[in-house]
Structures are given as C-alpha cells and as structure tokens.
C-alpha cells in the first residue's frame, strides 16, 4: 500500500485543455452543476466532465472542490469521472507546456504579451537593461529585463539556465525583442522536461541536409559521415549562440576552406534570429601563421573568449581548424584548450598523427579513408559548408577549384572541381585568385581581412571590382616573385644524390630578400617549380634553408617529411629539431649551431628514399 502522503492530486492550470488530462489520474475539480444522471465537475474553466450518479460518493454544493478520478476520456471528448475521497494528498499543478510561444513565431506576435521557454545563451549587462539571449528549439531572440539602469536584473538567472519568460514582443531597429515582465528559472522536472524537449528538437534541427557531393569522388564519399558530423556540430553551435572560432592555415587553400565555411555560418546566423551583428561577434575567422595550431594561437583565442565570457556573458567557443590541426605539433595547443574544456573539430588534409584524435570531437581527413593531400582543405571545407547551409552553394562552387590549384593538387578531384565552374572561371583565373589570396594574406599578416578576401574570391556581387583587384594583386605578386627569383636562382647549388635524384640547395637567408613577399616557403616553392621545369623527367628535391629552418619540396622522391623529422629528433641530440607538414612538402626547424649537421643528415635520408613518378 502506498502511504497516503504520496498520493498526488493534479490541478489543471487555466490554459490547459482536454489534451492535458490523462486517464487514470486524480484531479481536484469544482462542482459546476447537477443533472438527474450525475454531477458536472469542472477541472478548469475550459474542461469539464461528468460523475455519473453511481460514482458520486458524497454530497456537494455548487462550486465546492471535489476530487475526481478520470475513468475514461471518450472519443467525443466527454470525460467520465468518479469521485474519490482521499484524506491526505499532495496537489501538483499542471501547466500547459505547449502554450509557450516558439521564438521563431515571435515575428507574428509583435505588440502582444507571450510566454516563452528556453535556455539562456548569453547574459549581457548594458548601461540600461540586462539582455538575455534565449535559445529554444526554433530560434534565438533577445529578452530585455530592466530593474534600474545598469543593474543586473534577475541575478539568479545564469548562463545555461532554463527559464520561462512572460513579456511583450517589441520591434526595435528591425530587431525583435521581448520586454520581460517576469522571468523564472525552471528547476527540477520542469527544467529537465524543457531541456529534453529543446535538446531533442535542436538535435533534429541541426541534422545536415541530405545532398549529394558537388563532384563524384570515392574519397569524399567515404568522408561524408564525418563531414556530416562536423556540419551538425557547427549548426548546433549556431542555433545555440555558441561562438565559433575558425582557425586556418594562412595560404590560399586554407583561406578557401575557411571562407567557404564562413559563408555558410554567417548566412545561417543571420537567418536564425539573434542580434543583427551576430555574424561578426559569434563567428571569427583567423589565419594561423604556422602550419599548425600554435600556443600563440590558442593563447589569443583563450584570451578573447575568456574576456567575452566575463564581459558579455558569452559561451566559450567551438574551435574549428581547417588545413591545420591533424599533427603532433598541435598537441601543446590542444592541451591548453583542454584546461578550459574547449571543443575542437578539425578539417585537414595533412598526414594525420593518431594521437590528436583524443582531443577532437570530429576530424575530417582524407588519409583516414585511403585518400591523401590531393583532396585539399578547400575541397573539404566547401563540402562541409554545403552541409551546414545548402543555400550558399551557388556562391562557393568555385572555391574548391581555386583551392585545388593553390595547393597543387594532383588528385582527380582537381579536374572535376575545375570542370564544375569552367564556364565562369578558367584554370588560369583560378591560379590567379589563389596567388592573389597568398599575396594579400602576406600583407594582412594576422588579420583575416574578411571583406577584402570576399572581393578576392568574388563573393560580393561586384565582379568588376573583383577583376580589378585580382589584376592589381597578381601584378604585384608577380613583380615581387620575379625580383626574388632574379636574386635567388643564381645562388642555387646542385648535388646529385645516390638514388638518382637532383638536390638543389638555396640559402634563403642570404640569397633572398627577407621579410617580404614571397616569404621563404613560397620562395623555395617557386625555385622548385622552375627547377622542375628545367629538369623534366628527373626526380628533384629542393631545400631552401635559413639559419634555423629548412623548407623541403620534392618531385619524384618518396619522402615522408614528418617521419624524417621524428627520426632526426632522435638521432641528432641537441639539434632542437621540430617540424612537419605534408609527406613531400614540409618544413623543419633546428638550432642555428647545428644547421650543417641537420642539413647533412637530412640529405643523407633523402638520398636513401626511393624515386619514381
Ligand atoms: Mn592545404
């Protein structure tokens, strides 16, 4: 037997209707009137049932409270009740949950008072009201609560809490806002119910569109599940007002991958409510100078995020890395991120080290499915961007072709992506855009140049300006490259390796202009390209070196730069060796005093590698 104290009697809230009544439950009702066949009992103003005279237990007057058990709800809506007599019981109020207005519907409720339920995604104190950003299953809107100018309203309500707000829907500067009359923090089962409901709906809403790839590609096809996973994580961040920081390698391919995603995310932010400038403060794109996520990068990202969290009540960000992030060199930054429980997702085509995956919530990498770096980050980023927001596809279809030529992809996908846009962009135009991106990024340094880069990639509906800009940048870049080559090429030293490869060495520290365009990596690349054209058919390796670094490129020699770096680190004590990159394009750092030893050991390793085409 149940203890009497545990018997629960429900009281139907004023807004409830028949749908909130359950068979088998006991309700506190009120006698409405009498008929020959029984007693009518109201469960609230809108819902009433009948206690048949055979089920009446006690005598009543009109408007008296009576406890009734719901025997049945008939298909015509009639409710059969039975009177029950319970000496001791608990009353639990039932509120109608579905009367909360969805945030996406607020536009139709301007001037009216509504009730909403959702999670606090940001709490910003202004010099006037406190602004709560609320997220529900349908969208995001702001609610303004005012007690006194500059004073925090409802201090008990914190980031992440589930709240119920009653207030009037207003429109200010084209933006919806709720003026809060009352705000209550949900607790216990109410909070859990709301959280479950919102979570479930957000999960569905975040599910990416089921669309085919831009081009037929077995490797991309195999990467679809992981691309969908990352797209879903990003969509959810957008829908829950979680800031996103997108870090990318500062070259044409890296920029392409990041800008494709930027287009998808900023459009989705604008579509899904919230502040008019949310596409700026909830999304930041930043180039990484090193070909990995450096301590310097995570330090800046943490610095800004923690300040935004403290000052503007923002959530901590989702970190997304593109054309970066899949190698051992990223670990120190990942360990820093771990201290703050930051979520990190990676879209990369560098040869991955398995150790990074324990730090990541998603990792798209062609090497995981038998592909290689020929599937460039810009190709991957564009496919993910389409999954995030298919509506941006017409704007970004040309981006993978630019990324492919920018990163010198030799995968079959390069030609497929070029074919896709051949009518609007020739291969040469794609090369020019890639060069313009590299050149402009040099001048941008650590800045993302969001709007300028959009013009370079022809994303601003101003093709004339795009063309002029590309022409200027390409002209500037080529002049500087020519200048650099005129200075460098005469100083290249040639060696014949025992495996038949030709090795070319250039000291970029003394035989190239410093701190200018092209920087050492690109200078070596240009030198390498020219030497390859001069020695058609021969395996060629080019090393451009400075006092404490070397940049390597190979054609026709099966190198594995990340592995060579690891071996040298073990073999040359006191070399201070680090580095990595792709298998046949990469860089290595060392201490200046060990330069000759490191270079000789490196050359020895290369001369043992097999050659072929
Ligand atoms: Mn790349």
């Amino acid at each position: 037997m149940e203890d009497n104290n545990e018997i629960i009697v429900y009281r139907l809230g004023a807004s409830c209707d028949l749908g909130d009544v359950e068979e088998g439950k006991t309700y506190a009702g009120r006698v409405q009137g009498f008929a020959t066949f029984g007693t009518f009992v109201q469960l609230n103003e809108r819902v009433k049932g009948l206690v048949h005279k055979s089920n009446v237990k006690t005598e009543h007057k009109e408007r008296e409270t009576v406890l009734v058990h719901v025997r049945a709800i008939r298909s015509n809506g009639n409710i059969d009740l039975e009177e029950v007599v319970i000496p001791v019981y608990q009353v639990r109020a039932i509120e109608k949950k579905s009367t909360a207005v969805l945030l996406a519907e607020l536009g139709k409720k301007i001037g009216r008072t509504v009730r909403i339920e959702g999670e606090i995604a940001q709490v910003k104190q202004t010099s006037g009201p406190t602004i709560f950003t609320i997220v529900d299953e349908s969208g995001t809107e702001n609610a303004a609560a005012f007690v006194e100018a500059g004073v925090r309203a409802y201090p008990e309500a914190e980031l992440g809490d589930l709240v119920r707000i009653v207030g009037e829907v207003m429109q200010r500067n084209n933006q919806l806002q709720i003026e809060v009359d009352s705000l209550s923090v949900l607790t216990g089962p109410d909070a859990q119910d709301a959280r479950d409901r919102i979570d479930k709906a957000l999960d569905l809403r975040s599910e990416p569109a089921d669309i085919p790839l831009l081009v037929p590609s077995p490797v991309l096809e195999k990467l679809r599940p992981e691309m969908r996973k990352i797209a879903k994580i990003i969509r959810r961040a957008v829908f829950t007002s979680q800031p996103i920081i997108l870090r990318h390698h500062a070259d044409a391919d890296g920029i392409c991958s990041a800008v494709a995603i930027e287009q998808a995310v900023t459009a989705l932010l604008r579509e899904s409510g919230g502040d008019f400038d949310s596409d700026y403060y909830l999304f930041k794109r930043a180039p990484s100078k090193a070909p990995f996520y450096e301590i310097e990068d995570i330090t800046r990202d943490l610095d800004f995020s923690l300040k935004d969290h403290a000052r503007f009540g923002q959530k901590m960000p989702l970190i997304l890395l593109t054309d970066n992030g899949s190698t051992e060199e990223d670990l120190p930054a990942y360990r820093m991120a771990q201290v703050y429980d930051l979520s990190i997702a990676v879209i990369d085509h560098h040869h991955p080290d398995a150790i990074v995956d324990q730090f990541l919530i998603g990792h798209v990498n062609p090497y995981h499915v038998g592909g290689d770096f020929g599937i460039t980050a810009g190709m991957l980023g564009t496919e993910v961007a389409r999954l995030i927001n298919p509506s941006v596809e017409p704007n970004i279809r040309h981006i993978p072709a630019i990324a492919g030529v920018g990163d010198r992809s030799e995968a079959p996908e390069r030609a497929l992506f070029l074919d896709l846009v051949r009518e609007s962009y020739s291969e040469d135009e794609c090369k020019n855009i890639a060069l313009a991106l590299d050149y402009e990024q040099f001048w941008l340094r650590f800045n993302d140049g969001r709007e300028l880069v959009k013009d370079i990639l022809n994303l601003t509906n101003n093709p004339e300006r795009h063309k002029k800009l590309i022409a200027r940048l390409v002209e500037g870049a080529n002049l500087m490259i020519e200048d650099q080559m005129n200075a460098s090429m005469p100083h290249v030293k040639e060696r014949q390796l025992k495996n038949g490869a030709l090795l070319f060495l250039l000291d970029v520290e003394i035989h190239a202009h410093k701190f200018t365009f092209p920087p050492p990596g690109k200078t070596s690349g240009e030198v390498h390209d020219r030497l390859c054209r001069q020695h058609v058919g021969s395996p060629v390796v080019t090393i451009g070196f400075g006092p404490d670094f070397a940049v390597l490129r190979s054609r026709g020699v099966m190198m594995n730069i990340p592995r060579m770096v690891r071996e040298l680190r073990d073999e040359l004590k006191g070399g201070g060796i680090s580095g990595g990159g792709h298998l046949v394009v990469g860089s290595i750092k060392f201490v200046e005093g060990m330069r000759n030893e490191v270079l000789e050991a490196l050359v020895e390793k290369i001369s043992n590698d097999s050659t072929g085409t």
Side-chain angles (χ1 to χ4, degrees):
M1 261 309 268
E2 238 182 357
D3 188 276
N4 276 344
N5 284 322
E6 290 175 18
I7 292 182
I8 291 165
V9 168
Y10 295 91
R11 178 172 286 132
L12 218 52
S15 56
C16 293
D17 57 28
L18 185 63
D20 300 300
V21 180
E22 283 181 47
E23 283 182 7
K25 281 189 172 170
T26 301
Y27 295 85
R30 183 173 279 168
V31 175
Q32 187 195 35
F34 304 97
T36 49
F37 44 87
T39 306
F40 286 106
V41 173
Q42 281 186 306
L43 301 186
N44 68 6
E45 291 294 316
R46 301 155 73 176
V47 181
K48 71 174 176 184
L50 176 73
V51 183
H52 191 265
K53 61 185 175 189
S54 61
N55 289 321
V56 172
K57 304 281 162 61
T58 57
E59 275 191 36
H60 296 288
K61 296 189 187 113
E62 272 186 34
R63 306 202 58 73
E64 257 181 13
T65 294
V66 58
L67 301 185
V68 288
H69 178 81
V70 176
R71 291 164 56 95
I73 301 170
R74 303 207 189 168
S75 54
N76 62 3
N78 286 351
I79 306 174
D80 286 349
L81 301 172
E82 176 183 358
E83 186 186 351
V84 289
V85 179
I86 306 168
V88 183
Y89 55 87
Q90 272 185 40
V91 175
R92 187 169 293 167
I94 297 178
E95 290 296 334
K96 185 163 183 65
K97 297 205 166 60
S98 57
T99 54
V101 173
L102 292 174
L103 295 176
E105 306 286 305
L106 287 189
K108 298 179 206 150
K109 309 274 181 190
I110 293 164
R112 289 168 61 183
T113 294
V114 298
R115 183 152 66 88
I116 59 159
E117 258 179 32
E119 186 185 321
I120 299 178
Q122 189 181 342
V123 188
K124 186 176 171 183
Q125 184 58 52
T126 70
S127 55
T130 307
I131 308 289
F132 295 93
T133 301
I134 307 296
V135 168
D136 76 359
E137 56 266 58
S138 71
T140 304
E141 293 298 348
N142 285 340
F146 186 80
V147 271
E148 204 179 307
V151 174
R152 170 72 144 84
Y154 303 101
E156 71 280 11
E158 291 169 6
L159 192 65
D161 280 348
L162 282 141
V163 290
R164 182 174 295 151
I165 290 175
V166 176
E168 191 182 342
V169 184
M170 312 281 277
Q171 189 156 29
R172 293 216 164 151
N173 309 323
N174 246 340
Q175 245 188 295
L176 290 173
Q177 182 172 290
I178 300 161
E179 309 252 312
V180 177
D181 291 329
S182 76
L183 181 152
S184 49
V185 176
L186 301 181
T187 55
D190 278 357
Q192 198 52 51
D193 285 356
R195 196 179 295 282
D196 290 348
R197 191 185 76 235
I198 292 172
D199 263 1
K200 219 169 132 190
L202 277 174
D203 201 61
L204 266 176
R205 196 174 161 219
S206 306
E207 200 62 53
D210 202 2
I211 48 174
L213 297 165
L214 278 174
V215 297
S217 157
V219 176
L220 287 169
E221 200 58 57
K222 282 185 215 154
L223 287 172
R224 262 164 76 89
E226 194 68 9
M227 293 200 289
R228 286 180 63 88
K229 182 176 159 192
I230 289 191
K232 186 171 179 177
I233 290 167
I234 293 170
R235 283 173 61 83
R236 203 185 164 98
V238 168
F239 296 146
T240 56
S241 289
Q242 181 184 23
I244 297 171
I245 295 177
L246 202 180
R247 281 272 178 192
H248 60 89
H249 188 203
D251 71 352
D253 179 43
I255 297 167
C256 282
S257 65
V259 170
I261 292 172
E262 176 182 278
Q263 290 286 303
V265 170
T266 54
L268 198 59
L269 277 166
R270 286 191 298 269
E271 287 161 23
S272 59
D275 287 335
F276 68 94
D277 61 345
S278 61
D279 55 337
Y280 256 86
Y281 76 84
L282 287 179
F283 180 88
K284 288 197 178 74
R285 177 170 70 76
S288 286
K289 276 285 168 192
F292 54 88
Y293 194 36
E294 291 191 271
I295 299 274
E296 185 173 346
D297 299 332
I298 180 71
T299 301
R300 277 165 180 260
D301 293 345
L302 275 173
D303 182 29
F304 285 115
S305 301
L306 289 166
K307 283 173 182 162
D308 284 348
H309 181 66
R311 290 179 66 198
F312 305 123
Q314 277 190 26
K315 292 183 179 176
M316 290 299 278
L318 167 69
I319 307 274
L320 181 64
L321 304 177
T322 65
D323 201 16
N324 253 354
S326 57
T327 65
E328 259 185 14
E329 283 76 50
D330 301 283
L331 288 186
Y334 290 169
R335 293 213 168 87
M336 282 285 284
Q338 214 175 26
V339 175
Y340 290 91
D341 280 329
L342 293 187
S343 297
I344 303 174
V346 167
I347 299 171
D348 195 9
H349 68 141
H350 287 82
H351 195 263
D353 295 317
I355 191 170
V356 299
D357 286 315
Q358 60 189 293
F359 296 92
L360 307 179
I361 55 169
H363 183 183
V364 170
N365 195 310
Y367 285 97
H368 290 162
V369 296
D372 65 20
F373 62 93
I375 307 284
T376 76
M379 298 174 186
L380 297 168
T382 302
E383 290 293 356
V384 172
R386 293 172 64 239
L387 292 171
I388 295 169
N389 189 350
S391 72
V392 299
E393 181 185 315
N395 304 332
I396 61 174
R397 283 167 75 86
H398 60 303
I399 288 183
I402 297 164
V405 299
D407 246 20
R408 303 146 188 255
S409 164
E410 287 171 8
E413 284 79 358
R414 168 190 168 129
L416 295 176
F417 280 116
L418 278 165
D419 277 344
L420 189 68
V421 293
R422 193 163 296 284
E423 294 193 353
S424 332
Y425 299 91
S426 68
E427 181 160 355
D428 281 341
E429 281 171 311
C430 290
K431 281 183 182 162
N432 283 344
I433 296 174
L435 177 61
L437 285 172
D438 276 335
Y439 182 58
E440 191 61 27
Q441 187 61 59
F442 173 79
W443 301 111
L444 281 167
R445 300 171 65 85
F446 292 102
N447 298 316
D448 68 331
R450 187 188 284 195
E451 303 301 326
L452 199 48
V453 168
K454 277 188 204 165
D455 271 334
I456 296 175
L457 281 169
N458 200 15
L459 301 172
T460 48
N461 268 328
N462 195 336
E464 285 312 306
R465 191 170 61 194
H466 159 77
K467 285 208 173 79
K468 276 189 208 162
L469 184 59
I470 296 297
R472 293 284 177 282
L473 292 173
V474 167
E475 184 188 26
N478 281 333
L479 275 173
M480 293 183 81
I481 290 169
E482 231 15 73
D483 200 29
Q484 188 78 304
M485 289 306 107
N486 288 339
S488 300
M489 287 300 285
H491 303 286
V492 174
K493 303 267 187 297
E494 179 178 347
R495 274 161 75 171
Q496 177 83 45
L497 299 183
K498 64 182 181 217
N499 60 356
L502 291 170
L503 174 73
F504 296 98
L505 289 153
L506 171 67
D507 187 336
V508 291
E509 178 75 4
I510 54 173
H511 294 129
H513 299 294
K514 282 191 281 186
F515 312 117
T516 187
F517 184 87
K522 195 168 174 64
T523 299
S524 305
E526 278 296 324
V527 168
H528 178 72
D529 286 350
R530 284 167 197 229
L531 293 166
C532 284
R533 285 199 292 273
Q534 286 172 23
H535 300 276
V536 177
S538 305
V540 172
V541 177
T542 308
I543 302 179
F545 60 89
D548 60 353
F549 69 90
V551 190
L552 290 80
R553 268 167 207 272
S554 146
R555 181 191 70 189
V557 181
M558 307 290 126
M559 305 197 304
N560 181 334
I561 293 172
R563 195 180 63 211
M564 286 199 292
V565 168
R566 279 196 281 277
E567 287 173 5
L568 287 174
R569 196 162 52 201
D570 293 338
E571 292 161 16
L572 281 179
K573 297 295 169 213
I577 290 163
S578 66
H582 291 298
L583 295 180
V584 297
V585 181
S587 61
I588 170 167
K589 282 184 175 179
F590 39 80
V591 292
E592 199 170 339
M594 289 288 280
R595 182 176 81 178
N596 292 342
E597 286 87 339
V598 172
L599 288 179
E600 279 315 312
L602 195 60
V603 170
E604 178 62 22
K605 285 194 183 297
I606 295 168
S607 68
N608 288 325
D609 283 324
S610 63
T611 60
T613 41

